[in-house]
């Protein structure tokens, strides 16, 4: 396992992604280790985006269920707030992608 490295994300970026869905919390990935662990849990290619996330060429956002506290979905978002993809465990597509896209568009305004 690679060494643990924190992703240095500015607070104003972190604050963009809170409280948009009533049942979920938006969280930016905090470290390379967290991205690897969630990718392993989801059995998908999320770990392949670690270098881009560390260089902030993409942001990895997690949707954490407020009741279970489990991360249920991961999203790849560009610095320009374009949603590239959103998947859950075993590449389960995020059903609320259109709603998330709307939220991200609103953030741009």
């Amino acid at each position: 396992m690679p060494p643990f490295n924190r992703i240095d994300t500015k607070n104003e970026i972190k604050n963009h992604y809170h409280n948009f869905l009533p049942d979920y919390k938006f969280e930016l990935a905090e470290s390379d280790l967290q991205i690897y662990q969630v990718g392993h849990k989801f059995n998908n290619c999320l770990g392949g985006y670690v270098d881009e996330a560390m260089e902030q060429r993409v942001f990895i956002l997690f949707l954490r269920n407020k009741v279970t506290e489990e991360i249920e979905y991961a999203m790849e978002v560009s610095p320009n707030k374009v949603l590239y993809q959103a998947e859950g465990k075993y590449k389960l597509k995020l059903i609320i992608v259109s709603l998330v896209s709307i939220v991200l568009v609103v953030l741009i305004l």
Side-chain angles (χ1 to χ4, degrees):
M1 179 66 63
F4 172 79
N5 294 297
R6 294 197 65 74
I7 299 173
D8 185 27
T9 310
K10 297 177 182 168
N11 283 335
E12 60 265 21
I13 294 170
K14 290 179 184 178
N15 292 333
H16 278 301
Y17 300 102
H18 289 285
N19 303 318
F20 289 109
L21 299 173
D23 297 331
Y24 292 93
K25 292 186 277 189
F26 281 85
E27 297 178 3
L28 279 164
E30 295 179 357
S31 69
D32 54 355
L33 180 61
Q34 184 185 33
I35 295 171
Y36 284 123
Q37 289 174 334
V38 173
H40 181 73
K41 173 185 169 184
F42 286 178
N43 194 32
N44 65 19
C45 62
L46 187 61
Y49 295 94
V50 166
D51 290 339
E52 291 176 76
M54 295 304 294
E55 296 170 7
Q56 297 186 7
R57 290 184 283 143
V58 298
F59 295 105
I60 304 298
L61 283 96
F62 299 122
L63 285 179
R64 184 180 297 273
N65 185 303
K66 288 182 178 179
V67 174
T68 66
E69 288 296 317
E70 291 291 319
I71 293 174
E72 294 185 0
Y73 296 97
M75 297 181 292
E76 177 192 0
V77 180
S78 77
N80 296 330
K81 301 179 183 84
V82 174
L83 177 64
Y84 290 141
Q85 59 181 326
E87 293 184 352
K89 195 169 188 174
Y90 304 115
K91 298 185 180 181
L92 178 66
K93 297 294 181 191
L94 184 59
I95 296 170
I96 54 175
V97 167
S98 60
L99 177 57
V100 171
S101 296
I102 292 167
V103 168
L104 293 175
V105 169
V106 169
L107 290 175
I108 293 171
L109 300 177

